């Protein structure tokens, strides 16, 4: 995958012969001029380079660039039920997140595929992509909001003529994720070349990598998962680390078929047949048989080893299965020699499916000793624990993985309808050449999420409380019985009856229906009105109007029937009938409690940009000053001014160029942050530090209409050496960047909210209830403008070409790209807290170093390529103090102690090649992750945003062009 190191300039598809001026379109600026070099570092990936990497989705090729950290794809968000982002392919530059990276198609905005406003690259037409420009720096003054981290612009070939196609198949060495890709594109000109038509159709199917069984095994026999877990001992001053990293963690508050977790019967478990047996605790643990349910020899909530058959995390989908269908067309008409009017249509659909986890583990259940399904031997123990009737109990605490129930399945369906009407061209005014470009875009995205096989928690609670009445086993609660309750036996692996299934897991599960609309009208002109002492002054100016709106509706059981935050509730109906067992306020599902919401905002913008030549002589070289200013008026937050100033200097030293830029950028809160109804996430094993037990809780993420825009200062400077006469075919660039964002829109994590209250650091106690008798346990999380993010680092790119090396035909090329993140400091500005640096935190997305290297040999007949991808070692968190028992200082909220703070990096080797079988027909192969490198062991199952979880992948395909 060769990448252009200093390719800051690319000719546009249209060269206006009548104007005598070759347009040069540079992403990151609106200036169109001959010989212009942008001061902001930009990497350009050509169509040939995209095909050489042979990925079924070009998103993967672009995301491999080192400056892109934290991008999301089919391997991310697979552990989630409620996010709605499963299979969403979106870019993140500088680790700032997809919401701070602006992704464009032909320099135009694309309707978001999620309420965060980020588009899904899987919905883009891919075979007609001519190049991808990646601008590594703020570009708000040129393109408006969201371009804080930079811009990724996909440029299509609007004048393609002929017919071409690409057919590919792939599979992993574990015999899964079978992949089929079929892409075809055609183009032609009519009416003496004045009418241009291009179009493409694409089909892409990936079977995905499904869940593993209960325990620690993974799909296809993958063996890298060890249930690594970070355990909070909740002891800070005994000389030992507060946090302990362990492998083969065994939760002792539930098992596969059920476990009594506290009291005098603690430690009795049930096998698949329902027979009681003494559970095998890890760490040689011995149940204390007290009310707290502690286990001597074990850590809070976990032992090490023992019976792991009930562990549920291995049931997570490693990669969502995905089906993508895309249709694209563009029709352009040259109504004059230098002028074109065009229309584009993009219709696309992406469907995904994932399993978030095995089962639906339920710890801390209260079981009555007179439960009709309870084995007689356990009832006898209730009556006389340890043979002593004086210690008789009537109930006990119980936990189960619920392996008797099918695991939850999540299905997403995104459909995009995008239409653009535009005009572009050139004209001569007072003897000077001017270019114009205007368009109107209307985009609609429908996102449907449907969840199958998931329980209604309150119905489950009723169904497991079974008694014998008139010789029949029934639900104990008469109200529940009158409303269809069917009892289930959770002591063992007996499958519930169909009627019981339908009661606790109805066929109609949670759903969310979202519609997003985007309307954009933009007009831009550029030209060179004045010839100055060192060359022409180039200017660009324009205006833009944009409106974003969304509406989401959810089912009655998840959303509730009552109005919330001014948004109507969802009424009961035949599929979701009223039930007095359930809460009218919603949150009745185990997970997937989607909410209703709606909102809109509009943006009016105007900008001016100019490029001023400073000097152009042989003795001192050539220098240009580039500056831009944009005024933006948001309907939600008022007016913001952004600007940039930068320059380039082609020094008199052969091939040496200096460049620098600084800018004030902005990102306004998106629809989700402003108006989104609560997004719920189920936390199945959340530590309650007040009682030192793990509980099931729901995290509610809510919108905040009082949010204000983020303001960023973005500075970079660098040096480029490009093909000097003394070393032809060699190019290298080194750039330093620093980004400071104030009024960052973010939120405290659920863990922080609870811990800050527990430690008395902040008054966050009203935001959660982890022992809620009236409904599910919850933690409310809300976005706000906290203090700042500050990040800095270096980008390094280099390439060298050897034509006819050792007299051989063809060209040998070596290339390398690297990004080093020096710091990534988040400061929430709250009293009692300190800034946190997440650079090098490999359970996040910001590795210290990310490197991509490519070596390729290309001839007219065949090519061969080797690619290396390297991620540096990292840590779990820079806030931790690593120490061993007997050596640790007092652990604090801001500087906690830990026994092992190391996370391995990774090295991936890829190879590929092609051979021209017939003129215009090329067969190719690709092997990714040749060494079958496993992802690093981390405490969050895995981190697919940074590591590959699939293993070795084989691909074969054929490309042709007629």
């Amino acid at each position: 995958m060769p990448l252009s190191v200093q390719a800051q300039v690319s000719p546009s598809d249209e060269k206006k012969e009548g104007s005598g001026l070759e347009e040069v379109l540079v992403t990151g600026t609106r200036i169109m001029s001959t010989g212009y070099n942008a001061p902001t570092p930009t990497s350009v990936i050509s169509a040939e380079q995209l095909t050489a990497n042979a990925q079924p989705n070009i998103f993967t090729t672009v995301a491999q660039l080192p400056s892109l950290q934290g991008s999301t794809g089919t391997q991310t968000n697979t552990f989630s039920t409620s996010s709605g982002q499963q299979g969403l392919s979106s870019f993140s530059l500088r680790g700032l997140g997809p919401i701070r990276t602006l992704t464009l198609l032909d320099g135009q905005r694309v309707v978001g595929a999620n309420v965060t406003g980020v588009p899904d690259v899987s919905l883009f037409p891919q075979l007609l992509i001519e190049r991808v420009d990646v601008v590594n720096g703020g570009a708000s003054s040129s393109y408006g909001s969201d371009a804080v981290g930079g811009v990724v612009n996909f440029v299509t070939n609007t004048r393609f003529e002929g017919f071409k196609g690409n057919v590919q198949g792939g599979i992993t060495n574990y015999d899964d994720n079978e992949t089929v890709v079929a892409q075809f594109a055609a183009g032609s000109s009519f009416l003496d070349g004045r009418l241009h038509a291009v179009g493409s159709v694409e089909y892409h199917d990936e079977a995905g990598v499904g869940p593993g069984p209960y325990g620690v095994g993974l799909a296809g026999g993958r063996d890298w998962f060890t249930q690594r877990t970070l355990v909070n001992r909740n002891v800070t001053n005994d000389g030992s680390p507060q946090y302990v990293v362990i492998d083969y963690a065994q939760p002792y508050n539930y098992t596969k078929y059920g476990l009594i977790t506290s009291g005098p019967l603690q430690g009795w478990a049930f096998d698949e047949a329902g027979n009681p047996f003494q559970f095998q605790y890890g760490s040689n643990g011995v149940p204390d048989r007290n009310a707290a349910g502690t286990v001597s020899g074990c850590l809070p909530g976990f032992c090490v080893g023992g019976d792991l058959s009930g562990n549920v995390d291995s049931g997570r989908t490693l990669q969502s299965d995905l089906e993508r269908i895309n249709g694209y067309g563009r029709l352009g008409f040259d109504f004059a020699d230098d002028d074109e009017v065009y229309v584009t249509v993009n219709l696309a659909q992406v469907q995904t499916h994932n399993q978030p986890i095995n089962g639906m583990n339920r710890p801390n259940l209260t079981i009555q000793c007179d439960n009709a399904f309870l084995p007689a031997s356990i009832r006898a123990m209730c009556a006389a624990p340890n043979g002593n009737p004086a210690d008789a109990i009537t109930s006990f605490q119980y936990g189960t993985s619920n392996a008797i129930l099918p695991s939850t399945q999540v299905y997403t369906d995104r459909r995009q309808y995008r239409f653009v009407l535009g005009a572009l061209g050139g004209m001569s005014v007072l003897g000077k050449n001017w270019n114009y470009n205007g368009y109107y875009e209307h985009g609609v995205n429908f996102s449907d999420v449907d969840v199958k096989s998931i329980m209604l928690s309150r119905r489950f609670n009723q169904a497991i409380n079974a008694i014998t009445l008139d010789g029949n086993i029934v639900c104990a609660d008469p109200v529940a019985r009158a409303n269809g309750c069917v009892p289930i036996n959770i002591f063992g692996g007996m499958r519930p009856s169909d009627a019981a299934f339908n009661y606790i897991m109805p066929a109609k599960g949670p759903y969310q229906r979202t519609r997003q609309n985007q309307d954009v009208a933009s007009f831009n002109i550029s030209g060179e009105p004045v010839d100055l002492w060192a060359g022409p002054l180039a200017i660009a100016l324009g205006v833009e109007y944009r409106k974003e709106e969304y509406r989401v509706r959810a089912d009655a059981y998840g959303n509730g029937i009552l109005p919330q935050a001014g948004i109507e509730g969802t009424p009961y109906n035949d599929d979701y009938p009223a039930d007095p067992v359930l809460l009218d306020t919603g949150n009745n599902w185990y997970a997937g409690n989607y909410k209703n919401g709606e909102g809109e905002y509009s943006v009016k913008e105007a900008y001016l940009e100019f490029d001023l030549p400073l000097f152009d002589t042989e003795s001192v070289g050539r220098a240009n000053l580039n500056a831009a200013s944009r005024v933006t008026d948001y309907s939600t937050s008022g007016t913001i001014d952004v600007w940039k100033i930068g320059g380039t200097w082609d020094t008199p030293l052969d091939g040496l160029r200096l460049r620098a830029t600084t800018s004030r950028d902005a990102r306004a809160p998106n629809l989700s942050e402003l108006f989104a109804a609560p997004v719920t996430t189920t936390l199945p094993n959340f530590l309650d530090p007040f009682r030192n037990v793990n509980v099931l809780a729901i995290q509610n993420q809510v919108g905040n209409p009082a949010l204000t825009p983020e303001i960023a200062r973005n500075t970079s400077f660098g040096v480029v050496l490009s093909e000097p006469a003394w070393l032809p075919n060699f190019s290298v660039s080194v750039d330093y960047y620093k980004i400071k964002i104030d009024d960052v829109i973010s939120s405290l994590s659920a863990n922080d909210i609870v811990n800050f209250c527990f430690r008395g650091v902040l008054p966050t106690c009203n935001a959660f209830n982890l022992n809620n008798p009236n409904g599910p346990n919850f933690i409310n999380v809300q976005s706000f403008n906290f203090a700042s993010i500050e990040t800095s680092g270096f980008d390094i790119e280099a390439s060298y070409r050897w034509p006819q090396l050792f007299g051989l035909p063809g060209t040998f090329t070596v290339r390398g790209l690297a990004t080093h993140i020096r710091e990534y400091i988040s400061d929430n500005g709250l009293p009692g807290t300190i800034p946190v640096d997440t650079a090098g935190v490999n359970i996040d997305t910001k590795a210290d170093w990310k490197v991509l290297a490519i070596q390729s040999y290309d001839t007219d007949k065949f090519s061969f390529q080797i690619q290396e991808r390297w991620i540096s070692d990292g840590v779990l968190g820079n806030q931790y103090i690593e120490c061993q028992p007997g050596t640790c200082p007092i652990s604090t909220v801001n500087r906690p102690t830990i026994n092992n703070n190391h996370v391995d990096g990774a090295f991936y080797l890829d190879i590929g090649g092609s051979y021209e079988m017939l003129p215009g027909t090329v067969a190719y192969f690709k092997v990714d992750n040749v060494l079958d490198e496993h992802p690093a062991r981390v405490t969050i199952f895995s981190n697919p945003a940074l590591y590959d979880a699939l293993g070795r992948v084989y691909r074969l395909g054929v490309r042709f062009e007629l």
Side-chain angles (χ1 to χ4, degrees):
M1 182 190 64
L3 298 173
S4 179
V5 185
Q6 82 279 359
Q8 312 299 322
V9 182
S10 300
S12 70
D13 297 321
E14 292 83 22
K15 296 180 176 62
K16 304 305 175 186
E17 297 177 0
S19 66
L21 172 67
E22 180 182 297
E23 291 184 2
V24 175
L25 197 61
V26 183
T27 301
T29 178
R30 299 286 188 167
I31 296 294
M32 303 178 71
S33 175
T34 54
Y36 171 67
N37 289 311
T40 306
T42 303
S43 297
V44 179
I45 312 174
S46 70
E48 293 77 17
Q49 296 154 0
L50 293 169
T51 57
N53 204 33
Q55 298 296 322
N57 189 333
I58 62 175
F59 163 83
T60 305
T61 298
V62 180
Q64 288 175 351
L65 290 176
S67 61
L68 285 148
Q69 303 212 19
S71 302
T72 68
T74 54
Q75 291 189 43
T76 59
N77 296 308
T78 62
F79 315 154
S80 170
T81 302
S82 305
S83 72
Q85 298 185 37
Q86 293 87 346
L88 182 68
S89 297
S90 56
F91 295 116
S92 169
L93 279 161
R94 305 296 189 209
L96 294 171
I99 58 176
R100 298 184 184 93
T101 299
L102 181 59
T103 302
L104 305 172
L105 182 60
D106 286 323
Q108 301 165 352
R109 287 184 178 260
V110 179
V111 61
N114 183 268
V115 292
T116 59
V118 298
D120 186 352
V121 175
S122 297
L123 296 167
F124 286 21
Q126 301 201 359
L127 192 59
L128 285 170
I129 298 298
E130 187 173 60
R131 72 176 197 272
V132 181
D133 299 343
V134 180
V135 180
N136 297 305
S140 294
S141 58
S142 296
Y143 288 98
S145 183
D146 303 333
V148 173
V151 178
V152 180
N153 183 25
F154 291 80
V155 181
T156 63
N157 184 348
T158 63
R159 298 296 174 104
F160 173 72
E161 295 194 13
F163 180 71
K164 65 179 179 178
N166 174 46
V167 178
Q168 181 190 105
I171 194 170
T172 75
N173 64 314
Y174 298 96
D175 294 327
D176 50 25
N177 198 37
E178 298 90 343
T179 301
V180 175
V181 178
Q183 302 170 309
F184 304 97
S188 186
S189 296
F190 308 93
L191 303 179
D192 297 324
R194 300 179 72 87
L195 182 67
H196 314 276
V198 296
S200 66
V201 292
E202 303 177 11
Y203 177 78
H204 171 200
D205 182 84
E206 294 190 46
V209 178
Y214 284 86
V216 293
L218 294 176
R222 293 170 175 84
D223 59 3
W224 48 262
F225 180 56
T226 61
Q227 195 71 60
R228 176 161 286 194
T229 302
L230 180 64
V231 181
N232 182 356
R233 294 174 54 244
N234 215 22
V235 180
T236 61
N237 57 358
D238 65 349
S240 292
Q242 175 186 349
Y243 290 90
V244 180
V245 176
I246 60 174
D247 288 318
Y248 301 103
Q250 177 200 57
Y252 57 71
N253 57 351
Y254 62 89
T255 62
K256 187 174 184 179
Y257 297 116
L259 172 70
I260 300 176
T261 58
S262 67
L265 306 189
Q266 182 186 5
W268 283 100
F270 299 87
D271 64 17
E272 186 173 3
N275 300 312
F277 70 96
Q278 285 288 339
F279 182 65
Q280 180 192 354
Y281 291 94
S283 306
N284 295 314
V286 177
D288 293 327
R289 295 191 169 92
N290 55 24
T294 56
V295 179
S296 295
C298 294
L299 297 163
F302 297 92
C303 301
V304 178
D307 184 350
L308 301 175
S309 62
N311 287 28
V312 298
D313 285 343
S314 57
R316 303 177 188 271
T317 295
L318 296 184
Q319 175 169 310
S320 298
D321 66 66
L322 176 145
E323 185 178 43
R324 178 172 67 90
I325 303 172
N326 192 298
Y328 172 81
R330 185 184 190 276
L331 187 66
F333 178 69
D334 294 339
F335 61 89
D337 289 341
D338 296 327
D339 302 276
E340 180 192 36
V341 62
Y342 64 90
V343 61
T344 65
V345 178
N346 185 196
L347 308 178
Q349 181 179 34
V350 172
Q351 295 178 308
T352 71
H353 161 242
N354 70 290
Q355 177 176 304
I357 203 165
N358 271 334
M360 281 161 278
N361 64 309
R362 289 293 305 273
N364 305 315
L365 295 170
T366 298
I367 301 297
Q368 302 300 317
C369 288
D370 63 355
N371 189 291
F373 292 115
L374 193 65
S377 59
I378 300 297
R379 288 194 202 176
M381 293 182 195
C382 285
N386 302 315
N388 187 357
D391 295 331
I393 59 174
T394 59
S395 65
F396 51 81
Q397 294 298 109
Y398 188 77
T400 174
S401 302
N402 272 315
I404 61 173
L405 303 178
S407 297
T408 299
Q409 309 297 312
V410 183
Y411 300 86
T412 65
D413 185 352
R414 299 186 189 91
R415 304 177 304 282
Q416 178 178 284
Y417 305 87
R418 182 175 183 268
F419 309 91
V420 179
L421 174 65
L424 57 86
M427 65 187 75
S428 179
V429 179
L430 300 177
K432 300 296 182 181
N433 297 307
W434 291 85
N435 300 285
Y436 67 89
N437 186 336
Y439 75 93
Y440 167 73
E441 181 254 5
H442 175 68
V444 180
N445 189 89
F446 296 95
S447 296
D448 297 345
V449 183
D450 289 276
V451 183
K452 306 296 184 183
S453 301
I454 193 165
M455 72 165 67
L456 286 163
S457 296
R458 294 175 70 86
R459 284 188 180 177
F460 175 84
N461 294 344
Q462 295 292 343
I464 65 175
N465 187 15
I467 62 172
T468 301
L469 182 66
D470 299 328
N472 298 311
I473 298 178
V474 297
C475 299
D477 188 329
V479 175
R481 286 202 305 271
N483 286 274
C485 182
V486 180
I488 62 171
N489 180 3
I490 60 170
F491 309 110
M494 181 179 295
R495 185 186 185 278
S497 66
D498 289 343
F501 268 136
N502 292 333
Y503 178 69
I504 63 173
M505 305 175 73
K508 295 290 186 178
Y511 71 79
Q512 183 185 64
R513 302 287 182 263
T514 305
R515 172 174 176 152
Q516 291 174 253
N517 292 341
Q518 181 187 72
D519 290 277
V520 181
S522 176
F523 185 75
N524 310 277
I525 59 174
S526 65
E528 299 175 344
V530 180
D531 290 318
L532 301 175
W533 60 92
L537 171 69
I539 68 170
L541 64 158
V543 293
E544 182 170 296
Y545 173 81
R546 176 164 53 99
K547 183 178 181 180
E548 307 269 3
E549 57 185 338
Y550 94 111
R551 184 179 188 272
V552 59
R553 290 297 180 263
D555 64 277
Y557 293 167
N559 178 77
I561 64 171
L562 304 177
Q564 300 182 47
I567 306 298
E568 64 184 5
T570 301
Y572 293 125
N573 56 31
D574 291 342
D575 291 330
Y576 302 87
D579 183 348
V581 168
L582 303 179
L583 297 172
D584 288 342
T585 53
N587 283 347
N588 289 294
W589 300 104
Y590 178 84
N593 290 290
Y594 304 112
K595 306 297 181 182
N596 294 346
E598 58 190 48
E600 66 177 51
Y601 68 85
S602 60
V603 185
K604 293 174 286 187
E605 302 181 272
Y607 76 91
L608 172 66
E609 182 176 2
F610 70 84
D611 185 67
L612 174 67
L614 300 177
F615 50 81
D616 187 3
T617 68
E618 292 186 5
S619 59
V620 296
R622 176 183 175 184
N624 288 62
L625 176 70
N626 178 258
S629 178
R630 176 180 287 255
V631 177
T632 303
D633 180 49
Y634 294 99
S635 62
T636 54
S637 53
T639 301
I640 299 176
D641 299 317
V642 296
W643 51 264
K644 75 170 179 179
I645 185 168
T648 59
W649 177 25
D650 291 300
T651 72
L653 300 177
D654 184 19
L656 183 66
R657 178 188 308 137
L658 305 179
R659 60 191 180 194
T661 184
T662 186
S663 62
R664 183 179 193 260
D665 298 285
R667 185 187 76 86
N670 58 46
L671 289 168
S672 175
E673 292 164 331
L674 287 168
F675 307 115
V679 176
T680 64
T681 304
T682 299
L683 308 174
N685 228 15
F686 191 85
L687 176 65
D688 177 357
F690 298 90
R691 295 181 292 151
N692 215 29
V693 297
N694 291 332
V695 300
L696 178 74
I698 290 177
Q699 174 184 300
N700 298 308
Q701 178 82 43
V702 298
N704 182 0
L707 292 172
T708 60
E710 300 175 343
I711 303 298
R713 184 66 181 270
N714 208 318
T715 300
S716 68
F717 56 84
V719 57
V720 179
L721 182 64
S722 178
E723 302 200 18
W726 50 271
L727 190 58
N729 302 319
F730 173 76
S731 296
V732 63
S733 67
V734 180
D735 289 276
Y736 169 81
Y737 70 88
K738 183 174 183 178
I739 304 171
K740 173 72 179 298
I741 310 176
D742 291 318
D743 296 326
V744 169
I745 300 170
S746 189
S747 59
L748 294 174
S749 70
N751 277 320
D752 284 342
I753 289 171
V754 173
N755 285 328
F756 285 159
C757 168
F758 179 69
R759 303 292 181 190
V761 175
L762 289 173
T764 56
C765 300
N766 291 332
F768 64 90
N769 187 338
L770 299 180
N771 190 19
N772 186 10
N774 300 316
N777 301 325
F778 65 87
I779 306 104
N780 291 330
V781 178
Q782 186 174 41
S783 296
F784 61 98
N785 293 95
F786 75 65
S788 67
I789 291 176
E790 185 170 340
T791 181
S792 64
F794 293 92
D795 292 324
I796 304 169
E797 304 186 22
S799 70
Y800 187 63
R801 292 183 298 110
W802 284 276
Q804 298 181 329
L805 179 65
F806 303 128
L808 296 173
T811 301
F812 180 68
T813 306
V814 294
R815 296 172 177 84
L817 303 93
T819 292
H820 170 50
I821 301 179
R822 292 180 60 249
E823 60 182 358
Y824 192 101
I825 299 173
S826 301
D827 182 359
N828 60 29
L830 298 173
T833 66
I834 63 173
V836 176
D837 186 359
T838 54
V841 175
N842 284 22
I843 60 170
D844 200 310
T845 60
K846 297 170 279 292
D848 276 330
W849 283 94
K850 185 179 176 184
V851 177
L852 176 67
I854 310 104
Q855 306 85 46
S856 62
Y857 179 64
D858 300 275
T859 73
D860 293 338
K861 195 70 175 177
F862 69 90
S863 68
F864 184 76
Q865 155 176 308
I866 301 174
Q867 176 175 281
E868 300 89 13
R869 296 172 281 138
W870 179 68
I871 299 164
S872 61
D873 290 349
V875 296
L876 292 173
N878 289 314
Q879 75 274 24
Y880 291 117
I881 299 173
E882 184 173 319
C883 58
Q884 300 306 313
T887 67
C888 295
I890 293 176
S891 183
T892 67
V893 171
N894 293 323
R895 295 290 287 164
T897 53
I898 194 171
N899 69 323
N900 179 9
N901 196 27
H902 178 78
V903 179
D904 288 337
F907 173 81
Y908 302 106
L909 175 68
D910 311 325
I911 62 173
S914 65
Y915 181 78
E916 187 178 48
M917 300 184 298
L918 298 169
T921 302
V922 175
Y924 63 89
F925 78 94
K926 185 74 187 299
V927 183
D928 289 331
N929 194 0
V930 172
L931 304 177
D932 195 21
E933 175 81 5
H934 295 166
R937 289 184 293 176
V938 293
T939 57
I940 54 172
F941 179 70
S942 73
N943 184 10
L946 204 57
Y947 299 96
D948 170 39
L950 301 190
R952 188 182 306 121
V953 178
Y954 305 95
R955 295 192 180 91
L956 290 173
V958 176
R959 293 188 293 266
F960 64 87
E961 183 168 347
L962 306 177

